[in-house]
Amino acid sequence: MASAHSTAPAQLYLQVSINGNRVPELQPFTQRADGLWASPDVLHAIGFRNAGEGRALTRLASIADTRVEYDAGHQTVAITAPLSSLDLSPTILTAAGLARPPISVGAGMLLNYDLYSTYDPRGATTLSSATELRAFSSLGMLSNTMLSTFGMNSNAAFGATGRTRNVRLDTMWTRSWPDKEISLMMGDTTTSYLSWTRATRIGGIRLGRNFALQPYKTTSPLPAFMGSATLPSSVDLYIDGIKRYNGNLPAGPFQLDGIPTVSGLGNAQVVLTDALGRRTQINIPFYASSRLLAKGLSDWSIEAGYVRKDYGLSSFSYAADPVYSGTLRYGVSNSLTVETHAESASGAGAAGVGAVATLGAAGQVSGSYALSQSGSLRGSQYGLGYQWQNRNFNFGMNTIRSDSAYRDVASANGSLPPARISESAFAGVNLRQLGTLNLSYVRTRYGSDQSNRYAGVYWSKSLGNRATLSASYNRNLNVPHDQTVFIGLSIFLDHNLSVSGSVQHANHETGYGVTARQTASGNTGWSWSAQSQQSPGGKYGYAEADYRGQYGEYRAGVITSNAHSSAYAGASGSVVLMGGGVFAGRKIYDGFAVVSTDHIPDVPVKLQNNPMGKTDSNGMLMISPLNAYQKNLIAIDPMDLPMNMKIDRVDAEVATQAGSGALVTFKIHPVRAATVILHDRAGQPLPVGMTVRLNGGASSGLIGYDGMTYLEGLQDHNSLQADVSGKICSAVFDYRRPANIAAPVGPLRCE
């Protein structure tokens, strides 16, 4: 290979780095007295955009603003050039997302219950219950809800009369496919809806997208922050002054993608620190909205069935004619989402389109237009909305208007027609040291009636960490004297005790109220609350005591109103049949787990590092709540187990289906083990590190300090062998589980 001082041209194959980025393959260069030369193909291969066009070779040092450092000893060349003359591949950086956990599917049954009873000394007594029965397995979940009421009136002249009433609310079978984000519901459900449509209760079928099946997935578009780095650099991203990302990137253009942000207007700062320690800061304003779908993402639902009538009053009342409904939302781009909805029933139907878009940093706009036909009536409805917010200020307004002929499926089945006018406006500002201030305006109008218009002002201020002061003013704009003024003060004391007082003036009358409340500090315990109100219309008060236990929640209280008193009591909880056991607990709204410790009782169990209780005499414990389709960490502490117990694992990440349970088993079994102390013939501990064989088998243990060794798999009668200075010594002993597991066996004489 030619020397760097040779006068004749020489062919070199060098390792190249361009602006700190290493080129994977060796590249051919020609070395001359005035430096290194390269062909157009080589220049393009290492990243130059147009250098060397139309010539055989180009001297590297002649390229404008380019620095070349050739190391003959290591056969490398480091080239630094302006990014404007390079064509480097962009680097896309994304925040690490949470992996979707596998779903644990169990089989069992669950009963949620709410019991409530009232007693009135004047003779009225009621007992009511609300129940939910679920049966779940890998095939899905079947659920049924019921409402039952028993009332009795006592009268000295006519005796006691009672009446019982049972009403079925909803019966539904649900099956979900988390991988595809799709759920199927059959039975009593509701039609899908948008901000400018109404939902309808039906008995039928619903199939659609369900983003709740993948809670770690972000469906809203996330801003992408772009830039370029001349040299390899570290990058930090700040959103409104809070660091959200840190990483490293090579030289060239880059894009920060999929970084979580805040809703509304925000400001991003991208800070680059290159290999030489130089810092560059880029400020990027953005506007993010949760109503948008990411580009290419769709949300849809289709339904078919019969409209449910007299819900809560009749168990099986449905319309005679079927209804069909469908909704679709689609992210055209990260700043535009379009949506459409259509529904039809016998003699009536409605369909419309809408859109939600962001206007850069100027906020978010939305619009919709729908047509309907019901018999000979043809109507229309349109809606417009605007919203803008940042960390200190928010503002929005929305209006939906329809003509007198507009009808949807709900109105064709007995519900009121949609409002002719439904509009609102709000504004809020963070006054920092002066608190927060919110303004609101609402207007509604049905049919030919006069519009109802209300305006309100709400202000609140935190007084340190111990108190909150609030005030509000609400006025009916159609009735000049219909107005309400409210002032309230809440004080938070130690031991979860709070006291609040209020003054309210309405309809030329002034009322006062005082409330005291103390909540339980732990997972279980007592709570109580009491309230007294006084106004020219009379006096009102109540006192209640609550107990939150491991197996349910219980409450009792008294109510007084104008010197008349009544009492009430209630209980809520659940009963679960799963894993061969029956368990009682508090109401279960989402997921739960039954933990088994292989018939080992009194093992403490934790959920997300919070103690949940100990296993029962059968080694089982039910714990809740678990978040469905999310990672829930369930763990036991091996330090609480006896020394002769062996465990396969100490924790498990569990994700359940919605409304269902999972069986989590920790395999724990007793082992015949002991710590044995071995001495030699002279009564001295055997040397550290010697191998001990148990009952003639393979190597079973090593001698530790003081001649101690730990052995498992002991039999009733055991023999030990150890190699001491080339001679085999033996010891025998009988194993009986000692009362003190930690007590060692021995010392034994190994002879």
Side-chain angles (χ1 to χ4, degrees), residues 614-667:
K614 295 183 178 181
T615 55
D616 59 18
S617 58
N618 295 317
M620 304 189 80
L621 175 70
M622 184 188 72
I623 58 175
S624 68
L626 271 64
N627 296 319
Y629 306 106
Q630 299 184 37
K631 295 179 180 179
N632 301 271
L633 182 63
I634 299 176
I636 62 175
D637 190 351
M639 300 303 293
D640 292 315
L641 296 175
M643 291 182 63
N644 67 328
M645 294 294 177
K646 196 168 186 177
I647 184 171
D648 64 334
R649 56 180 177 172
V650 297
D651 57 43
E653 284 189 344
V654 180
T656 70
Q657 298 182 105
S660 303
L663 180 62
V664 183
T665 301
F666 293 93
K667 295 182 179 179

Side-chain angles (χ1 to χ4, degrees), residues 160-325:
T161 60
R163 180 187 178 191
T164 301
R165 185 167 177 268
N166 298 307
V167 178
R168 184 189 66 88
L169 297 179
D170 296 299
T171 303
M172 178 175 23
W173 176 78
T174 305
R175 175 73 186 273
S176 298
W177 294 268
D179 291 339
K180 299 179 180 180
E181 299 177 295
I182 292 177
S183 288
L184 172 65
M185 288 164 280
M186 299 180 66
D188 295 296
T189 182
T190 60
T191 60
S192 55
Y193 63 94
L194 299 169
S195 60
W196 42 275
T197 67
R198 297 194 296 180
T200 305
R201 289 189 178 275
I202 64 170
I205 183 171
R206 175 175 177 173
L207 176 69
R209 184 83 70 195
N210 185 358
F211 290 129
L213 299 176
Q214 294 189 20
Y216 297 122
K217 178 179 178 179
T218 302
T219 60
S220 301
L222 298 176
F225 306 106
M226 295 172 288
S228 58
T230 304
L231 297 173
S233 306
S234 66
V235 58
D236 297 294
L237 174 66
Y238 296 85
I239 302 294
D240 292 334
I242 300 175
K243 181 184 286 190
R244 296 297 184 94
Y245 181 81
N246 172 262
N248 298 311
L249 50 85
F254 66 87
Q255 177 176 313
L256 291 174
D257 206 358
I259 309 298
T261 61
V262 296
S263 296
L265 182 66
N267 184 66
Q269 293 179 327
V270 180
V271 180
L272 296 175
T273 305
D274 64 21
L276 302 178
R278 296 175 297 190
R279 291 170 59 89
T280 304
Q281 180 173 304
I282 307 171
N283 293 316
I284 307 173
F286 66 89
Y287 195 93
S289 171
S290 59
R291 287 190 59 188
L292 295 175
L293 289 176
K295 181 180 179 180
L297 193 63
S298 63
D299 184 13
W300 57 273
S301 179
I302 54 175
E303 304 88 26
Y306 297 86
V307 173
R308 180 78 182 266
K309 305 177 70 175
D310 301 323
Y311 183 78
L313 301 175
S314 176
S315 297
F316 299 95
S317 178
Y318 296 90
D321 298 319
V323 59
Y324 306 95
S325 173

